[in-house]
Structure formats: C-alpha cells, structure tokens
Amino acid sequence: MAKFYTEPSRTFSEYLLIPNLTRRDCTTERVSLRTPIVKHGRGEQPRLALNIPFSSAVMQSVSDDVMAVALARSGGISFIFGSQSVAEQARMVGKAKAFKAGFVVSRSNLTPDHTLADVRALKASTGHSTVAITDDGTPRGKLLGIVTSRDYRDSRDPADKPIRAFMTPYASLVCGRSGISLPEANDLIWEHKLNVLPIVDETQRLEHLVFRKDYDAHKEYPLQLLDANKSYVVGAGINTRDYKERVPALVAAGADILVIDASDGYSEWQRDTIEYIKSNFDIPVGAGNIVDREGFRYLVAAGADFVKVGIGGGSICITREQKGIGRGQASALIEVAEERDRYYEETGIYVPLCSDGGIVHDYHITLALAMGADFVMMGRYFARFDESPTRKLKVGNNFVKEFWGEGSNRARNWQRYDSGGKENLLFEEGVDSYVPYAGGLQENLDKTLGKIKSTMCNCGSISIPELQREARITLVSATSLVEGGAHDVMIKETGLSGD
Ligand code: RVP
C-alpha cells in the first residue's frame, strides 16, 4: 500500500515568527547575513560563502551575465541559466568573470592618426570625455596616449588637428601594471592627482582604465562577493544530459560553482552528474530539487555540496497541476533541514540548504532562513528589476517585465534550435508571464535586507545561524491570516473627492 503523509504540507504564508527578547546590542547595523553555500566540516571555514543569503534562479528570464555582476556586487550569487548553447553560457560566465569592480574596459578608443573632429564625434555619441589612443584603435591595442578634454580647446583648435599633436603621450602618463589591486590603483590616482589610470601589461598593451569617479561607487558595495583574483563570484546551472560537454566549458570560463537544475532531483542522473564532476574537476556543485529527507540523503551521499529544496512552489511553475508532484515549501524545508541537522550531528559535515521558489513576501525569506535554509533562490523577485535580461513593456498604465518558466515552451525552444528538434515538449511545466517592473536591484535589495535584519532583531538574532537556533515559529489559522493585512478599514485611495 502507498505511504500516506496525513499532515497537510504547508507553505510560508501559514507561519509567523514569534519575537524573542531583543537585547540592547541587537541592532540592524550589527546583523550579519553572511552564510555558507558549500558543505564544510565542523569548525572549518566554507570554501565559498555569500554576504547576503540570495541567489537568482537558473532561468533565461532572470540570470544572465548582467544579473550575475549586479547580484555579486551586492553580496549574492547568480546561477547563469543553462538552457542555452554551451558556448553562449560559457561566454556569459566569462563576461561576468572578466568584469572587474572598478576596472573598466576602455569604451572610447582612437588611433593617433584620427583627428579632433573624431574625438568630438566620439564624445557626442558616447558621452565619454576620456579617449584611449592605441596603435590599432581597439581597447586592447598598444597604448600610445590618452586624450581628455584638458588636451584641446574646443572652440579654437581646428577640427582636422591630428590626435598625435595634442594627446598626452604614453611617456608622460602614469600607468598601473596588470595585476595591480584596486586599492593600489586608487593610491596611484590620489598620489598623482589623476582622473584616470590606464592599466597596461608588460608590452604596453592596454587592459583597463580605473577612474577616480568610480572610487566612490566602489565604496558603495561593501558586501560585494569577489574571488581571490578580485573578480565577481559567478555560478552556473547545468543539466543531467550534456554535462560532459558543458561542465568543462563552464570551468574553463571561470565559473565558481555549479548547480544541477531540475524540477525533480531525486534521480540517478543527478548522482551520475555529480560523480562525473567530482572525479574530473575541483568545483563545488549543488544538486536538487528535492522535498524530503530521502532526497537529501541521496544527493549528499552522491557528493552534493549544497542541496536545493522545492518542487512546484515557483511563481511560474505548474508542475503540481500538470504532474501532481510537489510539496508545500515550508513543510519540505522543515523536514529537509531537520535531516540536514541530523546528518551534521552524525558526521560533523554541514550541508547548506537553498530554499528555491515560492518567496512571495520579503518576510518569507526570513522564515525560510529561520526554518533552516542557508540561502534562498528567487526568480520572480529578480525578474522585476532593470538588471534582468527581459524586455520592459507597458501594459495598460503599468510597466512590466517579461518572465517565463524554464519548463515553458518559450524556454525550452532553444533545445529545438540547438539539438535538431529532438526535444519537443509533450507538456509544459511553466507559464509565460509578466511581473510588475520594480526598478533597480540595489534599491529593492536594500529594502528587503532592511526588513530581514529588522525581523532578525525582533527574534533576538544577529546572524543566520543564531536565527536558525533561536527562532520560534508558529502556525497561523486561516482566520488569523485575515488579520495579517489591513482589515476592517477602508483603505484610502488617492483621487477621492474631498481628499
Ligand atoms: P519564484 O522565485 O517563485 O519565481 O520561483 C523560481 C523557481 O521556480 C526557480 O528557481 C525554479 O526552481 C522554479 N522554476 C523555474 N521554471 C519553472 C517552470 O517552468 N516550472 N519553475
């Protein structure tokens, strides 16, 4: 006879946190949201940790190289979507890794034979007043000089004056050498009162420019997540079919961590994929998704570095209604976190959990952490921002962004193009939708993080492990849910007569 779970499975909205004593020293400024993302032994530092417990979903409509840079700059991680060709995904990973905070690839470049008219035209089209002068006019050419607005008189100098006649030549420039760190570059900028510092290699080839004005911007991202080479930390999604081709390319492109992306991860294919990666590469890999203790144990035994929890809770996901599999996200997480803790007791190895999908309100993130997640993965949340890869459209009077599931025909079409029509879909597991446009990532993150920290203080916790240990969580009845929002009042709308 089939096994029955008689307790209904529950989701985040059915729970609330009960405040603990807030000590005087428990302030939002002191809250640390640093959290491990890969397994580690008792007392050991994890090889990779996030500064905020956020990851963006492995989805075409969410995580490309632009999102990866933006989120790593804020302290989280993106897993660049794998539902694209191996070459294109590796290119995105490479691009995000090549983006150096504060180090920019020169975007305005000319040769010494160009003229002042060319400088003016370039400035008018790009808005940049600093032009790198290289032997071939490319951003990676041999650096021969720099032109800024201080090098010419706009009203008096003739338009056909060649650049070689007025540029600041290489011999008069202060330059940094490849490999210089951002603080060192900034020291040179201050010491020599520069506006821009070119970085060149030993053959005088231009690599980057560091601008004085970016120094302050750099300081705005104190939580940015960097690797040992000062590049942003970048993750990538993989599947259980083409991993022998995809993983080597992603590793070569510089990916820091991988995750196997599947709606049901309790499978021998995931075990095979993990085994292949572990025996050929030194890169952490997360696996999932699972919703129970058995799935957790299976993936951990296979060697997963973190485990992703959640089936069917995603905002665009129709797996539950199409296939009848899944579990309420809170119940799944609570059970898996219990098992994770038991595993830790038994082995001394801590396996981080990612709660994936179904975050509707900001407080759901705090609940997920309190229930034992080490970080969350979100699709809808990030899809709303400027940094997501999809179009921003106006629908009626509102701006929206496009957002589609990985199980939708729209996402899966790439495979038809890519693999000659082998992967036609029998049925969809995701929908194609819009989400309300919400602006830039950083401003939205600031608000969400503010709420999480404030709630953590209510719960008397200034770190995620403390919250996981100390939180008191209660189920709420359907009736008390009604009281959760404004109730029994008439909400004021603007534009009412007499307002
Ligand atoms: P949400 O944050 O609620 O938008 O959920 C995002 C998650 O939904 C993803 O990380 C993934 O696990 C799941 N997903 C993505 N596509 C689909 C689908 O088409 N069914 N589901």
Side-chain angles (χ1 to χ4, degrees):
M1 191 181 157
K3 179 172 179 178
F4 283 88
Y5 292 74
T6 45
E7 277 295 308
S9 73
R10 300 186 182 278
T11 191
F12 292 130
S13 289
E14 294 173 80
Y15 290 90
L16 286 173
L17 286 154
I18 299 175
N20 287 331
L21 172 68
T22 306
R23 302 176 307 273
R24 252 184 236 100
D25 61 355
C26 190
T27 58
T28 52
E29 297 75 41
R30 292 194 61 227
V31 172
S32 161
L33 293 175
R34 194 164 163 81
T35 191
I37 185 174
V38 293
K39 69 182 175 200
H40 54 281
R42 203 187 299 270
E44 280 173 18
Q45 285 300 319
R47 170 174 168 186
L48 204 51
L50 305 178
N51 288 330
I52 61 170
F54 287 27
S55 65
S56 69
V58 195
M59 297 175 74
Q60 292 174 355
S61 50
V62 181
S63 298
D64 67 352
D65 50 296
V66 174
M67 180 62 81
V69 166
L71 187 50
R73 184 144 63 185
S74 300
I77 193 170
S78 285
F79 289 92
I80 292 179
F81 65 95
S83 51
Q84 57 179 327
S85 72
V86 171
E88 189 51 24
Q89 190 188 17
R91 193 192 63 78
M92 282 189 182
V93 169
K95 215 167 149 196
K97 290 302 291 181
F99 188 99
K100 293 233 177 221
F103 291 83
V104 296
V105 173
S106 174
R107 283 164 51 200
S108 291
N109 309 286
L110 291 170
T111 69
D113 298 328
H114 282 97
T115 62
L116 180 53
D118 295 317
V119 173
R120 287 185 181 136
L122 195 57
K123 187 175 171 191
S125 73
T126 63
H128 303 145
S129 51
T130 301
V131 183
I133 311 302
T134 55
D135 59 347
D136 55 4
T138 70
R140 289 286 151 86
K142 185 171 180 184
L143 183 68
L144 301 177
I146 290 277
V147 168
T148 71
S149 42
R150 291 191 203 158
D151 293 311
Y152 56 89
R153 286 174 296 183
D154 230 348
S155 50
R156 293 183 39 194
D157 285 349
D160 59 355
K161 191 170 175 181
I163 286 177
R164 66 175 69 257
F166 63 92
M167 69 183 185
T168 305
Y170 179 75
S172 312
L173 291 173
V174 177
C175 291
R177 280 267 173 244
S178 1
I180 188 173
S181 70
L182 192 59
E184 286 163 350
N186 284 316
D187 285 348
L188 280 179
I189 286 176
W190 282 95
E191 224 172 276
H192 297 277
K193 300 186 193 311
L194 308 173
N195 282 324
V196 62
L197 177 76
I199 311 295
V200 291
D201 70 10
E202 63 288 350
T203 62
Q204 208 178 308
R205 289 203 163 268
L206 180 61
E207 288 190 340
H208 293 106
L209 299 176
V210 178
F211 287 92
R212 170 190 286 260
K213 64 176 169 44
D214 286 347
Y215 179 65
D216 292 333
H218 170 68
K219 284 200 299 195
E220 278 172 28
Y221 299 105
L223 294 178
Q224 60 185 341
L225 203 62
L226 301 174
D227 66 15
N229 298 318
K230 305 273 186 287
S231 293
Y232 286 126
V233 171
V234 177
I238 58 169
N239 60 61
T240 54
R241 295 178 304 278
D242 63 14
Y243 55 89
K244 289 187 181 164
E245 191 194 341
R246 194 172 289 274
V247 172
L250 294 173
V251 171
D256 296 279
I257 183 166
L258 304 173
V259 66
I260 310 173
D261 184 42
S263 59
D264 170 18
Y266 189 9
S267 78
E268 293 184 341
W269 293 293
Q270 292 234 346
R271 191 189 61 196
D272 294 347
T273 309
I274 297 169
E275 276 174 5
Y276 164 79
I277 294 170
K278 292 291 165 192
S279 42
N280 291 286
F281 302 95
D282 178 28
I283 186 168
V285 56
N289 287 9
I290 51 90
V291 287
D292 63 358
R293 64 184 84 230
E294 290 82 1
F296 171 83
R297 286 275 175 172
Y298 184 81
L299 293 179
V300 170
D305 289 285
F306 71 88
V307 172
K308 204 141 69 70
V309 181
I311 296 180
S315 56
I316 30 51
C317 185
I318 51 170
T319 296
R320 292 181 191 169
E321 70 183 52
Q322 288 284 60
K323 294 173 71 179
I325 60 166
R327 196 173 196 188
Q329 186 64 13
S331 299
L333 186 57
I334 292 166
E335 178 175 311
V336 176
E338 250 176 37
E339 196 62 17
R340 185 268 314 277
D341 293 348
R342 197 168 299 132
Y343 183 79
Y344 181 56
E345 282 304 307
E346 287 166 22
T347 64
I349 295 170
Y350 185 84
V351 182
L353 296 180
C354 171
S355 175
D356 176 17
I359 298 292
V360 181
H361 302 291
D362 288 343
Y363 82 86
H364 288 172
I365 303 172
T366 326
L367 267 175
L369 298 172
M371 288 172 177
D374 297 274
F375 61 108
V376 295
M377 175 171 276
M378 297 183 288
R380 187 195 60 86
Y381 180 85
F382 289 110
R384 300 171 303 147
F385 304 150
D386 289 317
E387 291 81 354
S388 77
T390 68
R391 288 186 300 168
K392 177 176 153 192
L393 304 167
K394 198 160 185 196
V395 174
N397 285 327
N398 301 311
F399 283 105
V400 294
K401 295 265 301 188
E402 295 179 302
F403 179 44
W404 59 91
E406 286 297 294
S408 68
N409 275 332
R410 181 167 183 179
R412 290 197 181 173
N413 270 341
W414 77 276
Q415 291 178 322
R416 285 212 285 274
Y417 301 124
D418 215 44
S419 55
K422 279 184 288 179
E423 301 278 351
N424 275 324
L425 269 185
L426 282 177
F427 55 89
E428 288 183 286
E429 285 186 55
V431 298
D432 192 355
S433 71
Y434 297 126
V435 284
Y437 166 68
L441 176 130
Q442 185 64 46
E443 69 206 59
N444 282 282
L445 263 188
D446 285 345
K447 265 188 231 154
T448 303
L449 293 171
K451 283 191 216 169
I452 294 173
K453 288 179 179 178
S454 173
T455 307
M456 284 174 67
C457 289
N458 295 137
C459 297
S461 307
I462 58 167
S463 72
I464 293 173
E466 205 177 350
L467 179 71
Q468 290 169 340
R469 267 194 323 269
E470 307 294 334
R472 293 185 296 156
I473 302 171
T474 177
L475 263 173
V476 283
S477 71
T479 322
S480 56
L481 271 179
V482 178
E483 290 176 359
H487 60 95
D488 302 310
V489 293
M490 289 163 69
I491 305 280
K492 279 191 188 173
E493 308 271 358
T494 49
L496 284 182
S497 59
D499 233 17

